[in-house]
Every structure is written in C-alpha cells, then in structure tokens.
Amino acid sequence: MHLKPAYNNIVRMRRQTISKYSSALQRMINAETRVTEEKLLFGSAISSKRLGDLKRRYWEKKADAEGIPSMSILFLVDNSGSMSGGRIMAAKNACIIMHEVLKRNDIPHAVVSEEAIYEKPLVEHRILIGFNGREEEKYSILSMNPRYNTREGFSLYWAEKYINEHTDADIKLIIVIADGWPLHEYARSNYIPPVSTKDTANAAHKIMKRGTEIVAVALGDPDACDADFNECLDDLKNIYPSVAACRDADRLPVRLFEQIAVRLKTRKF
C-alpha cells in the first residue's frame, strides 16, 4: 500500500491518455458489425452448404450485431537485469495505463513479471495483477525490480496455463514486453542462444497453434543507441512471428493498445 500515492500520481499525469484509449475501446465495443444468420426457413439468400438440410433451413440473411468477441490479455514483462532504468519505468507506466483502460471496459487482464534466478534451477512469476484479482493488487506493478535472467520458453507455457485456467474468452492474447533474447546462467545447463531462442520460438509456435495468440513488443532504452535497439528487435524477430517495435519507451502504451485493437479487427490508434 505504500506504493499507492506513486500509482495514483501516474494515473493523474496520464489521465488524458487513459481517457482517450478508454473512449476508443468503448467505441470498438459498441460498434455495429454485419453478421450472417444461417439455418433460416426464410431469408435473403440460399446457403448452398445447407441444401441437404432435412428441415429445409436453406436460407441466410445479413443482420446487425453489436459488440466484439470476448477477449482476455496477459502482459508478460521481462524483469531481467537488462530492463533496469528507462525500460522498466516505461513498462510500469504502460501497464498502469493499460490496466486502467481495460478495467474501465471490463476486459479481463493480468500483469505478470518473469525472471530466472542466477545459478539456480528456478523461474519466478509474480502475478502483479491477476484475473479477477483484488483492486489493491494494481499497486504491485510499481514493485518490479529487474535483477536476474529470463527463461522465456518456460514462462510462455506458464502464461498459457494461467490464462486458460482463469478465462474462457474467444480471444486469448499474451503480450510479451522484452528487450532482447532470453538468457539464464545456470551452471548445469546454461540457457543461451541459440538454445534459448530456439526453445522460446518452439514454445511460442506450440502455444499459438493451440489457440492463444502471442505478440512481442521490443522495448528500447531511452539512453541506448539505435544499434542496440535494432539488435533487440532482430533478437525478438528470431523468436516470435509477430513483433512490434517500440524504440521510444514513452510510446509503449501506444504500441500495446495497437496490438489489442488489431486483434479486435479494428483500425490502429
């Protein structure tokens, strides 16, 4: 609870951004869409695939429908030592903004940090905001403190299990916020490229094949050079089929919102 004043201060400073994205998301939810109703005795067109229906429900018609498919989102934040400084602060601010936006629109979401402990066969996942969690959990976002490594292949499987156990949404999306390839220094089995990148790519492929979407956001350091960011971007492109570039850390909320909007089949913001 000692983090509450700092959290509320960020919300006050970003209230215009939160309001903007909340309104945009609300418009998506309320937007009218055209859908096809089938299995009708009367309609505007005959559905050729139903000509063999014994109940003679050959017809179909277009109708207006409101709303969007149900969606759940898990933000998986790289909490390794290389995220220290501007990157982790940007990640905290962005996760706070997205929590406030998604909460206002009743979209289930979670924020989880991932880290693999030096010289130990241990990976920790801290649920900073859980699906259907308590309101005061949100202050935990500010407690992220980058220290160790990541073992992202394992963390993706953990995230898939967590999102499946707690939601049954039509669209399940894992958004990975990271600054490069995963690394876990462990004496018995060092998890380094190309092993770590191949393992994580295989995990992402299997999870997406089972129906959970994954997108990575390559996060730049405000104090780093372009060459460092391009290397980060290339690293993640070798792992994930879908990678969004965020060279300017202050633009992270925009990148996150874009990915959500795209999955809802709307225009980018």
Side-chain angles (χ1 to χ4, degrees), residues 79-127:
N79 198 41
S80 63
S82 61
M83 285 282 288
S84 297
R87 288 190 182 101
I88 198 63
M89 198 62 240
K92 291 176 182 180
N93 288 337
C95 287
I96 289 172
I97 290 170
M98 296 316 301
H99 167 66
E100 293 294 326
V101 170
L102 297 173
K103 179 185 68 174
R104 294 183 186 187
N105 287 278
D106 297 320
I107 295 180
H109 60 283
V111 178
V112 178
S113 67
E114 53 153 335
E115 58 185 343
I117 310 305
Y118 285 139
E119 297 299 336
K120 292 184 180 180
L122 179 64
V123 178
E124 291 185 352
H125 302 104
R126 295 183 60 213
I127 302 172

Short mmCIF file of all heavy atoms in Angstrom, two decimals, residues 79-127:
data_model
loop_
_atom_site.label_atom_id
_atom_site.label_comp_id
_atom_site.label_asym_id
_atom_site.label_seq_id
_atom_site.Cartn_x
_atom_site.Cartn_y
_atom_site.Cartn_z
N ASN A 79 11.58 -9.16 -16.50
CA ASN A 79 12.07 -8.48 -15.30
C ASN A 79 13.55 -8.79 -15.07
O ASN A 79 14.02 -8.81 -13.93
CB ASN A 79 11.24 -8.92 -14.09
CG ASN A 79 11.38 -7.96 -12.92
OD1 ASN A 79 11.40 -6.75 -13.09
ND2 ASN A 79 11.50 -8.50 -11.71
N SER A 80 14.29 -9.01 -16.17
CA SER A 80 15.72 -9.30 -16.05
C SER A 80 16.51 -8.01 -15.83
O SER A 80 16.00 -6.90 -16.03
CB SER A 80 16.21 -10.00 -17.32
OG SER A 80 16.07 -9.16 -18.45
N GLY A 81 17.77 -8.17 -15.45
CA GLY A 81 18.61 -7.03 -15.12
C GLY A 81 18.76 -6.02 -16.24
O GLY A 81 18.89 -4.82 -15.98
N SER A 82 18.73 -6.48 -17.49
CA SER A 82 18.92 -5.56 -18.62
C SER A 82 17.75 -4.60 -18.80
O SER A 82 17.85 -3.63 -19.55
CB SER A 82 19.14 -6.35 -19.91
OG SER A 82 18.01 -7.16 -20.20
N MET A 83 16.63 -4.86 -18.12
CA MET A 83 15.46 -3.98 -18.21
C MET A 83 15.57 -2.80 -17.24
O MET A 83 14.69 -1.93 -17.21
CB MET A 83 14.19 -4.77 -17.91
CG MET A 83 13.75 -5.68 -19.04
SD MET A 83 12.91 -4.80 -20.39
CE MET A 83 11.35 -4.38 -19.62
N SER A 84 16.62 -2.75 -16.46
CA SER A 84 16.77 -1.68 -15.46
C SER A 84 16.77 -0.30 -16.12
O SER A 84 17.15 -0.14 -17.29
CB SER A 84 18.07 -1.87 -14.68
OG SER A 84 18.06 -3.07 -13.95
N GLY A 85 16.36 0.69 -15.34
CA GLY A 85 16.40 2.06 -15.83
C GLY A 85 15.15 2.46 -16.59
O GLY A 85 14.02 2.20 -16.17
N GLY A 86 15.35 3.09 -17.76
CA GLY A 86 14.25 3.63 -18.53
C GLY A 86 13.27 2.58 -19.02
O GLY A 86 12.06 2.85 -19.10
N ARG A 87 13.77 1.39 -19.36
CA ARG A 87 12.88 0.36 -19.88
C ARG A 87 11.84 -0.07 -18.85
O ARG A 87 10.64 -0.14 -19.15
CB ARG A 87 13.69 -0.85 -20.35
CG ARG A 87 14.49 -0.64 -21.63
CD ARG A 87 15.05 -1.97 -22.11
NE ARG A 87 15.86 -1.85 -23.30
CZ ARG A 87 17.18 -1.84 -23.31
NH1 ARG A 87 17.85 -1.93 -22.17
NH2 ARG A 87 17.87 -1.73 -24.43
N ILE A 88 12.28 -0.41 -17.64
CA ILE A 88 11.33 -0.92 -16.65
C ILE A 88 10.37 0.17 -16.21
O ILE A 88 9.18 -0.10 -15.94
CB ILE A 88 12.06 -1.54 -15.44
CG1 ILE A 88 11.10 -2.45 -14.66
CG2 ILE A 88 12.66 -0.48 -14.55
CD1 ILE A 88 10.59 -3.64 -15.44
N MET A 89 10.82 1.42 -16.17
CA MET A 89 9.92 2.51 -15.81
C MET A 89 8.84 2.67 -16.88
O MET A 89 7.67 2.90 -16.57
CB MET A 89 10.70 3.81 -15.64
CG MET A 89 9.94 4.88 -14.87
SD MET A 89 9.56 4.38 -13.18
CE MET A 89 7.78 4.46 -13.15
N ALA A 90 9.24 2.54 -18.15
CA ALA A 90 8.27 2.62 -19.24
C ALA A 90 7.28 1.47 -19.16
O ALA A 90 6.08 1.65 -19.40
CB ALA A 90 9.00 2.59 -20.58
N ALA A 91 7.77 0.28 -18.82
CA ALA A 91 6.90 -0.89 -18.71
C ALA A 91 5.89 -0.70 -17.58
O ALA A 91 4.70 -1.03 -17.71
CB ALA A 91 7.72 -2.15 -18.48
N LYS A 92 6.34 -0.16 -16.45
CA LYS A 92 5.44 0.10 -15.33
C LYS A 92 4.35 1.08 -15.72
O LYS A 92 3.15 0.85 -15.48
CB LYS A 92 6.23 0.64 -14.13
CG LYS A 92 7.17 -0.36 -13.48
CD LYS A 92 7.97 0.32 -12.36
CE LYS A 92 8.95 -0.64 -11.71
NZ LYS A 92 9.73 0.02 -10.63
N ASN A 93 4.75 2.21 -16.30
CA ASN A 93 3.77 3.23 -16.70
C ASN A 93 2.76 2.67 -17.70
O ASN A 93 1.55 2.93 -17.59
CB ASN A 93 4.49 4.44 -17.30
CG ASN A 93 5.23 5.26 -16.27
OD1 ASN A 93 4.91 5.21 -15.08
ND2 ASN A 93 6.23 6.01 -16.71
N ALA A 94 3.26 1.91 -18.68
CA ALA A 94 2.38 1.37 -19.71
C ALA A 94 1.39 0.36 -19.13
O ALA A 94 0.21 0.35 -19.50
CB ALA A 94 3.20 0.72 -20.82
N CYS A 95 1.86 -0.48 -18.23
CA CYS A 95 0.98 -1.48 -17.62
C CYS A 95 -0.09 -0.81 -16.75
O CYS A 95 -1.24 -1.27 -16.71
CB CYS A 95 1.78 -2.48 -16.79
SG CYS A 95 2.73 -3.65 -17.79
N ILE A 96 0.27 0.27 -16.07
CA ILE A 96 -0.71 1.03 -15.28
C ILE A 96 -1.77 1.62 -16.20
O ILE A 96 -2.98 1.52 -15.93
CB ILE A 96 -0.01 2.12 -14.46
CG1 ILE A 96 0.79 1.50 -13.32
CG2 ILE A 96 -1.03 3.13 -13.91
CD1 ILE A 96 1.67 2.48 -12.58
N ILE A 97 -1.33 2.24 -17.29
CA ILE A 97 -2.28 2.84 -18.23
C ILE A 97 -3.21 1.79 -18.80
O ILE A 97 -4.44 1.96 -18.85
CB ILE A 97 -1.52 3.57 -19.36
CG1 ILE A 97 -0.83 4.81 -18.80
CG2 ILE A 97 -2.46 3.95 -20.51
CD1 ILE A 97 0.14 5.47 -19.77
N MET A 98 -2.64 0.65 -19.24
CA MET A 98 -3.47 -0.38 -19.85
C MET A 98 -4.41 -1.02 -18.84
O MET A 98 -5.55 -1.37 -19.17
CB MET A 98 -2.60 -1.44 -20.52
CG MET A 98 -1.76 -0.94 -21.68
SD MET A 98 -2.67 0.15 -22.83
CE MET A 98 -4.00 -0.91 -23.36
N HIS A 99 -3.97 -1.16 -17.60
CA HIS A 99 -4.87 -1.69 -16.57
C HIS A 99 -6.07 -0.78 -16.38
O HIS A 99 -7.22 -1.25 -16.33
CB HIS A 99 -4.12 -1.83 -15.24
CG HIS A 99 -5.04 -2.07 -14.08
ND1 HIS A 99 -5.81 -3.22 -13.94
CD2 HIS A 99 -5.34 -1.29 -12.99
CE1 HIS A 99 -6.53 -3.14 -12.84
NE2 HIS A 99 -6.27 -1.98 -12.25
N GLU A 100 -5.83 0.53 -16.29
CA GLU A 100 -6.93 1.47 -16.09
C GLU A 100 -7.88 1.45 -17.28
O GLU A 100 -9.10 1.51 -17.12
CB GLU A 100 -6.37 2.88 -15.87
CG GLU A 100 -5.59 3.04 -14.57
CD GLU A 100 -6.47 2.89 -13.34
OE1 GLU A 100 -7.65 3.28 -13.40
OE2 GLU A 100 -5.97 2.38 -12.31
N VAL A 101 -7.33 1.36 -18.49
CA VAL A 101 -8.16 1.33 -19.70
C VAL A 101 -9.00 0.06 -19.76
O VAL A 101 -10.22 0.10 -20.00
CB VAL A 101 -7.27 1.45 -20.95
CG1 VAL A 101 -8.08 1.18 -22.22
CG2 VAL A 101 -6.63 2.83 -21.03
N LEU A 102 -8.37 -1.09 -19.57
CA LEU A 102 -9.07 -2.37 -19.68
C LEU A 102 -10.07 -2.55 -18.55
O LEU A 102 -11.15 -3.12 -18.75
CB LEU A 102 -8.05 -3.51 -19.70
CG LEU A 102 -7.10 -3.51 -20.90
CD1 LEU A 102 -6.02 -4.58 -20.72
CD2 LEU A 102 -7.85 -3.72 -22.21
N LYS A 103 -9.72 -2.08 -17.35
CA LYS A 103 -10.64 -2.20 -16.22
C LYS A 103 -11.93 -1.42 -16.49
O LYS A 103 -13.03 -1.91 -16.18
CB LYS A 103 -9.96 -1.66 -14.96
CG LYS A 103 -10.82 -1.70 -13.71
CD LYS A 103 -10.11 -1.05 -12.54
CE LYS A 103 -9.96 0.45 -12.75
NZ LYS A 103 -9.40 1.15 -11.55
N ARG A 104 -11.81 -0.24 -17.08
CA ARG A 104 -12.98 0.58 -17.35
C ARG A 104 -13.89 -0.06 -18.40
O ARG A 104 -15.08 0.26 -18.46
CB ARG A 104 -12.56 1.97 -17.82
CG ARG A 104 -11.84 2.78 -16.75
CD ARG A 104 -11.49 4.18 -17.23
NE ARG A 104 -10.67 4.90 -16.26
CZ ARG A 104 -10.35 6.18 -16.36
NH1 ARG A 104 -10.79 6.90 -17.38
NH2 ARG A 104 -9.59 6.75 -15.43
N ASN A 105 -13.34 -0.95 -19.19
CA ASN A 105 -14.13 -1.60 -20.24
C ASN A 105 -14.39 -3.08 -19.93
O ASN A 105 -14.84 -3.82 -20.81
CB ASN A 105 -13.42 -1.46 -21.58
CG ASN A 105 -13.50 -0.05 -22.13
OD1 ASN A 105 -14.50 0.33 -22.73
ND2 ASN A 105 -12.46 0.74 -21.91
N ASP A 106 -14.14 -3.49 -18.69
CA ASP A 106 -14.45 -4.86 -18.22
C ASP A 106 -13.81 -5.94 -19.08
O ASP A 106 -14.43 -6.98 -19.35
CB ASP A 106 -15.97 -5.07 -18.17
CG ASP A 106 -16.65 -4.14 -17.17
OD1 ASP A 106 -16.08 -3.93 -16.10
OD2 ASP A 106 -17.74 -3.62 -17.49
N ILE A 107 -12.57 -5.70 -19.53
CA ILE A 107 -11.84 -6.71 -20.28
C ILE A 107 -10.88 -7.42 -19.33
O ILE A 107 -9.99 -6.79 -18.74
CB ILE A 107 -11.06 -6.09 -21.45
CG1 ILE A 107 -12.06 -5.50 -22.47
CG2 ILE A 107 -10.16 -7.11 -22.13
CD1 ILE A 107 -11.41 -4.85 -23.67
N PRO A 108 -11.03 -8.74 -19.13
CA PRO A 108 -10.15 -9.47 -18.20
C PRO A 108 -8.69 -9.37 -18.62
O PRO A 108 -8.36 -9.51 -19.80
CB PRO A 108 -10.66 -10.92 -18.31
CG PRO A 108 -12.04 -10.81 -18.86
CD PRO A 108 -12.04 -9.62 -19.76
N HIS A 109 -7.82 -9.13 -17.66
CA HIS A 109 -6.40 -8.98 -17.97
C HIS A 109 -5.56 -9.28 -16.74
O HIS A 109 -6.06 -9.28 -15.61
CB HIS A 109 -6.10 -7.57 -18.49
CG HIS A 109 -6.44 -6.50 -17.51
ND1 HIS A 109 -7.73 -6.07 -17.29
CD2 HIS A 109 -5.66 -5.76 -16.65
CE1 HIS A 109 -7.75 -5.12 -16.38
NE2 HIS A 109 -6.49 -4.92 -15.96
N ALA A 110 -4.29 -9.54 -16.98
CA ALA A 110 -3.35 -9.80 -15.90
C ALA A 110 -2.00 -9.21 -16.28
O ALA A 110 -1.67 -9.09 -17.47
CB ALA A 110 -3.22 -11.30 -15.63
N VAL A 111 -1.23 -8.84 -15.28
CA VAL A 111 0.14 -8.36 -15.48
C VAL A 111 1.06 -9.25 -14.65
O VAL A 111 0.87 -9.39 -13.44
CB VAL A 111 0.31 -6.89 -15.04
CG1 VAL A 111 1.76 -6.45 -15.23
CG2 VAL A 111 -0.63 -5.99 -15.82
N VAL A 112 2.03 -9.88 -15.33
CA VAL A 112 2.92 -10.84 -14.68
C VAL A 112 4.36 -10.51 -15.04
O VAL A 112 4.67 -10.26 -16.21
CB VAL A 112 2.59 -12.28 -15.12
CG1 VAL A 112 3.56 -13.28 -14.47
CG2 VAL A 112 1.15 -12.63 -14.78
N SER A 113 5.24 -10.51 -14.04
CA SER A 113 6.66 -10.35 -14.33
C SER A 113 7.34 -11.71 -14.31
O SER A 113 6.93 -12.62 -13.58
CB SER A 113 7.32 -9.43 -13.29
OG SER A 113 7.32 -10.03 -12.01
N GLU A 114 8.37 -11.87 -15.13
CA GLU A 114 9.09 -13.15 -15.24
C GLU A 114 10.58 -12.92 -15.00
O GLU A 114 11.15 -11.96 -15.48
CB GLU A 114 8.88 -13.77 -16.63
CG GLU A 114 9.20 -12.82 -17.78
CD GLU A 114 9.63 -13.53 -19.05
OE1 GLU A 114 10.13 -14.67 -18.96
OE2 GLU A 114 9.47 -12.92 -20.12
N GLU A 115 11.19 -13.83 -14.24
CA GLU A 115 12.64 -13.78 -14.07
C GLU A 115 13.16 -15.16 -13.67
O GLU A 115 12.47 -15.92 -12.99
CB GLU A 115 13.05 -12.74 -13.03
CG GLU A 115 12.45 -12.94 -11.66
CD GLU A 115 12.80 -11.81 -10.72
OE1 GLU A 115 13.74 -11.04 -11.03
OE2 GLU A 115 12.14 -11.67 -9.68
N ALA A 116 14.36 -15.49 -14.15
CA ALA A 116 15.03 -16.74 -13.81
C ALA A 116 16.21 -16.40 -12.91
O ALA A 116 17.01 -15.53 -13.23
CB ALA A 116 15.50 -17.46 -15.07
N ILE A 117 16.33 -17.09 -11.79
CA ILE A 117 17.31 -16.75 -10.76
C ILE A 117 18.70 -17.27 -11.14
O ILE A 117 18.86 -18.41 -11.57
CB ILE A 117 16.89 -17.34 -9.40
CG1 ILE A 117 15.42 -16.98 -9.10
CG2 ILE A 117 17.79 -16.82 -8.29
CD1 ILE A 117 15.12 -15.51 -9.15
N TYR A 118 19.70 -16.40 -10.96
CA TYR A 118 21.09 -16.78 -11.24
C TYR A 118 21.46 -18.08 -10.53
O TYR A 118 21.18 -18.27 -9.35
CB TYR A 118 22.06 -15.70 -10.74
CG TYR A 118 22.13 -14.44 -11.57
CD1 TYR A 118 22.21 -13.20 -10.95
CD2 TYR A 118 22.15 -14.48 -12.95
CE1 TYR A 118 22.29 -12.03 -11.69
CE2 TYR A 118 22.23 -13.32 -13.70
CZ TYR A 118 22.29 -12.10 -13.07
OH TYR A 118 22.37 -10.95 -13.79
N GLU A 119 22.15 -18.95 -11.25
CA GLU A 119 22.76 -20.15 -10.68
C GLU A 119 21.79 -21.04 -9.91
O GLU A 119 22.20 -21.82 -9.05
CB GLU A 119 23.94 -19.77 -9.78
CG GLU A 119 25.07 -19.07 -10.50
CD GLU A 119 25.69 -19.91 -11.61
OE1 GLU A 119 25.59 -21.14 -11.54
OE2 GLU A 119 26.26 -19.33 -12.56
N LYS A 120 20.50 -20.92 -10.23
CA LYS A 120 19.51 -21.80 -9.60
C LYS A 120 18.53 -22.29 -10.66
O LYS A 120 18.21 -21.54 -11.60
CB LYS A 120 18.74 -21.06 -8.51
CG LYS A 120 19.55 -20.69 -7.30
CD LYS A 120 18.66 -20.04 -6.25
CE LYS A 120 19.47 -19.68 -5.01
NZ LYS A 120 18.61 -19.04 -3.96
N PRO A 121 18.04 -23.52 -10.54
CA PRO A 121 17.04 -24.02 -11.48
C PRO A 121 15.66 -23.50 -11.09
O PRO A 121 14.74 -24.26 -10.77
CB PRO A 121 17.14 -25.54 -11.31
CG PRO A 121 17.53 -25.72 -9.89
CD PRO A 121 18.44 -24.56 -9.56
N LEU A 122 15.52 -22.17 -11.10
CA LEU A 122 14.31 -21.54 -10.56
C LEU A 122 13.85 -20.39 -11.45
O LEU A 122 14.63 -19.50 -11.79
CB LEU A 122 14.60 -21.01 -9.15
CG LEU A 122 13.47 -20.29 -8.44
CD1 LEU A 122 12.29 -21.22 -8.19
CD2 LEU A 122 13.96 -19.70 -7.11
N VAL A 123 12.59 -20.42 -11.81
CA VAL A 123 11.96 -19.33 -12.56
C VAL A 123 10.80 -18.81 -11.71
O VAL A 123 9.97 -19.58 -11.23
CB VAL A 123 11.43 -19.81 -13.93
CG1 VAL A 123 10.74 -18.67 -14.66
CG2 VAL A 123 12.57 -20.37 -14.77
N GLU A 124 10.75 -17.50 -11.53
CA GLU A 124 9.70 -16.89 -10.72
C GLU A 124 8.76 -16.07 -11.58
O GLU A 124 9.20 -15.29 -12.43
CB GLU A 124 10.31 -16.00 -9.62
CG GLU A 124 11.05 -16.77 -8.55
CD GLU A 124 11.53 -15.87 -7.42
OE1 GLU A 124 11.41 -14.63 -7.56
OE2 GLU A 124 12.01 -16.40 -6.42
N HIS A 125 7.46 -16.25 -11.33
CA HIS A 125 6.43 -15.45 -12.00
C HIS A 125 5.63 -14.73 -10.91
O HIS A 125 4.99 -15.38 -10.08
CB HIS A 125 5.51 -16.34 -12.83
CG HIS A 125 6.25 -17.12 -13.87
ND1 HIS A 125 6.52 -18.46 -13.75
CD2 HIS A 125 6.80 -16.73 -15.05
CE1 HIS A 125 7.19 -18.88 -14.80
NE2 HIS A 125 7.38 -17.84 -15.62
N ARG A 126 5.71 -13.43 -10.90
CA ARG A 126 4.98 -12.63 -9.92
C ARG A 126 3.71 -12.08 -10.56
O ARG A 126 3.77 -11.33 -11.53
CB ARG A 126 5.84 -11.48 -9.40
CG ARG A 126 7.06 -11.94 -8.61
CD ARG A 126 7.83 -10.76 -8.05
NE ARG A 126 6.98 -9.97 -7.17
CZ ARG A 126 7.07 -8.64 -7.04
NH1 ARG A 126 7.93 -7.96 -7.77
NH2 ARG A 126 6.28 -8.00 -6.20
N ILE A 127 2.58 -12.49 -10.02
CA ILE A 127 1.29 -12.02 -10.53
C ILE A 127 1.02 -10.66 -9.89
O ILE A 127 0.60 -10.56 -8.74
CB ILE A 127 0.17 -13.02 -10.20
CG1 ILE A 127 0.50 -14.39 -10.80
CG2 ILE A 127 -1.17 -12.51 -10.74
CD1 ILE A 127 -0.45 -15.49 -10.37
#
